[in-house]
Amino acid sequence: MLLERIYDEDLAQASYVIGCQAEGEAIVIDPRRDIAIYRDIAEKNGMRIVAVTETHIHADYLSGTRELAAATGATVYVSDEGGPDWTYGPDFDPAVRMKHGHRIQLGRISIEAVHTPGHTPEHMSFLVTDGAQSDKPGFMLTGDFVFVGDLGRPDLLDEAAGFVNTRFQGAKDLFASLRDRFLTLPDYVQVLPAHGSGSACGKALGAIPTTTVGYERNFSWWAQYLRNDDEQGFVDELLSGQPDAHAYFARMKKENKLGPAVMGEARDRDLREFTAAELRAELDADRVVFVDTRHHSLVHEGTVERALNIPGTAKSASYGAWVVDPEREARPIVLLAESAEHAAEIRDHLVRVGIDTVEGFVTSLAGLDLVRPLVIQPGELDGFDRALLLDVRNLTEYSAGHLPGAEQLSGGRALWNLDRLPKDGTIVAYCQSGVRVSVTASALRSAGYDVAELDGSFAAWSAVPGNVPTSELPVAA
């Protein structure tokens, strides 16, 4: 049996290729939209991708299930559990819709769908049995059900998809899924989750890629509540301290349920290299969105007016989803990139969150009109005339300590909550060290807001003698 984990450090997301070497057949579970890596693995191992499936309707990235099936002819398998509100849309009509216990057979490899609601109502985990070695399952692909040291959060439907108080039933469902589906398995079963440390789909995910049923049974934070049959204690602990959900999660939920667009051949097209004169004409006519991909310290030395800052490649999907909303922004994107290959790599990251409009790139800002974003030093803050002091970190960070008088709106939500921001006057914004605030400030400037960044952000301000953070939270009106 072939079992290979493909991990996206950008979105902290794992997908898996499982293959039967005797039959030359493979299945991909939870694929992303830039699918070349799966086809390369299959080709390297002399396999055909004959099946593709996913554990649930994802919120944090756009699924590549339809993309991969269109490219390979693979059969699609999706959950048919959870009720009518969680049924995949008509674009999935050719798919096999699975109930609990459905089996996918690849030679002697059996993959059994196990309904494990909690994170979402339709969620499936997959028990994998390598029949060449045993007649018992040795692996469970748990998706967003069980992580290493943590569990999938049940509040995302409230936080990101517009539902009300589904978190409580979701938490109870998760308790039952652990009791009735997970803890009934032998200790030796290996657990392969869909996310790792850094994902917003849980609050304390481990960085280790795998675990076992036995390890989680004995050492996870939640095991004590299951041993004591303490459902309410479990619910209370699970729902407390979850990180902010990014606003783009709502779009991912909707598109993944209906059916993500298939890019096809456009996925691999060459990007156009713009000359400075060509780009200047497009910018003057407001026909393109420009993305500066440099570190914020370089952006502060000068960038294109209203440029978006998506620093580097490593987190370009994560930050790109903060600053580009494809539902409201249809203009093509032009990147500042080191080369055509660099631009294509960033594009591959952006399509993972449904940003499909990258058209071209430039390798230099020479010949373009540049502006310097407003940056103030920590020592200037007290005397600076501002309309709002804005903390763009997560609520958990803000609650642990923030600048006195600051209001919190995380960077992943800012563009979707402009009504909370003053249109007149200057907003002074900060994060922990300066990266997230540069990303967020660029989006707000592009939307027409006057934003100054606090140089060095919270870390620099806290290092000034006499500056003391507060943990007092605003009193609700």
Side-chain angles (χ1 to χ4, degrees), residues 30-373:
D30 287 335
R32 65 197 195 206
R33 285 177 88 217
D34 51 319
I35 60 172
I37 190 166
Y38 309 112
R39 303 184 76 177
D40 290 346
I41 290 170
E43 182 179 1
K44 181 180 70 174
N45 289 279
M47 293 182 175
R48 295 177 297 112
I49 297 172
V50 299
V52 57
T53 189
E54 54 193 53
T55 50
H56 65 294
I57 300 170
H58 295 278
D60 55 313
Y61 74 102
L62 199 57
S63 166
T65 293
R66 296 186 70 235
E67 191 75 38
L68 188 57
T72 63
T75 299
V76 172
Y77 297 83
V78 295
S79 174
D80 196 31
E81 295 282 4
D85 288 342
W86 302 101
T87 300
Y88 283 80
D91 282 348
F92 288 93
D93 279 352
V96 176
R97 296 177 183 260
M98 300 180 292
K99 295 293 187 182
H100 173 73
H102 185 97
R103 290 180 182 270
I104 303 169
Q105 199 74 30
L106 301 175
R108 297 190 66 183
I109 298 172
S110 175
I111 300 166
E112 179 184 354
V114 180
H115 185 216
T116 49
H119 175 67
T120 61
E122 83 290 351
H123 193 286
M124 291 287 196
S125 298
F126 295 102
L127 279 173
V128 181
T129 301
D130 181 3
Q133 301 291 329
S134 172
D135 60 354
K136 304 294 184 184
F139 308 88
M140 188 181 215
L141 278 69
T142 52
D144 287 24
F145 169 37
V146 175
F147 300 128
V148 179
D150 203 6
L151 301 170
R153 57 191 293 186
D155 64 319
L156 278 184
L157 304 181
D158 292 350
E159 293 296 313
F163 287 79
V164 178
N165 290 335
T166 62
R167 66 188 70 202
F168 302 108
Q169 185 59 49
K172 292 178 179 179
D173 289 345
L174 197 55
F175 186 87
S177 292
L178 289 167
R179 180 191 63 212
D180 301 335
R181 306 286 200 220
F182 187 78
L183 292 177
T184 57
L185 297 171
D187 282 353
Y188 60 75
V189 172
Q190 294 186 48
V191 175
L192 309 176
H195 293 292
S197 179
S199 170
C201 291
K203 61 180 178 179
L205 281 71
I208 300 170
T210 66
T211 183
T212 64
V213 171
Y215 190 89
E216 297 303 311
R217 187 197 311 275
N218 286 283
F219 301 113
S220 65
W221 66 262
W222 51 263
Q224 60 176 316
Y225 298 103
L226 272 294
R227 283 193 293 270
N228 297 326
D229 196 26
D230 182 3
E231 181 184 70
Q232 190 57 53
F234 172 87
V235 170
D236 293 343
E237 178 62 27
L238 178 63
L239 295 179
S240 68
Q242 292 285 0
D244 292 342
H246 304 309
Y248 83 90
F249 282 9
R251 176 170 58 86
M252 296 294 93
K253 274 287 183 187
K254 179 175 68 175
E255 292 187 30
N256 281 327
K257 180 181 178 182
L258 295 176
V262 174
M263 297 179 288
E265 293 182 359
R267 178 184 59 245
D268 302 316
R269 74 184 188 281
D270 291 335
L271 296 177
R272 171 186 172 188
E273 183 172 3
F274 284 76
T275 67
E278 290 170 338
L279 179 56
R280 189 165 56 248
E282 294 298 300
L283 290 169
D284 289 344
D286 200 27
R287 287 193 292 259
V288 299
V289 174
F290 185 73
V291 173
D292 193 326
T293 61
R294 299 174 299 164
H295 188 268
H296 65 276
S297 61
L298 298 176
V299 172
H300 290 169
E301 295 176 6
T303 188
V304 171
E305 186 174 9
R306 292 199 172 185
L308 300 176
N309 182 211
I310 303 176
T313 306
K315 301 295 288 183
S316 50
S318 301
Y319 291 139
W322 289 17
V323 299
V324 178
D325 180 2
E327 294 185 327
R328 295 185 287 185
E329 179 56 79
R331 290 175 297 169
I333 293 171
V334 178
L335 305 169
L336 175 62
E338 298 170 1
S339 62
E341 293 75 20
H342 182 215
E345 186 179 3
I346 294 173
R347 176 189 62 186
D348 285 349
H349 279 245
L350 292 176
V351 300
R352 297 173 195 173
V353 288
I355 302 172
D356 299 349
T357 52
V358 176
E359 180 175 295
F361 67 98
V362 292
T363 58
S364 170
L365 296 181
L368 299 172
D369 298 325
L370 305 182
V371 297
R372 293 172 67 98

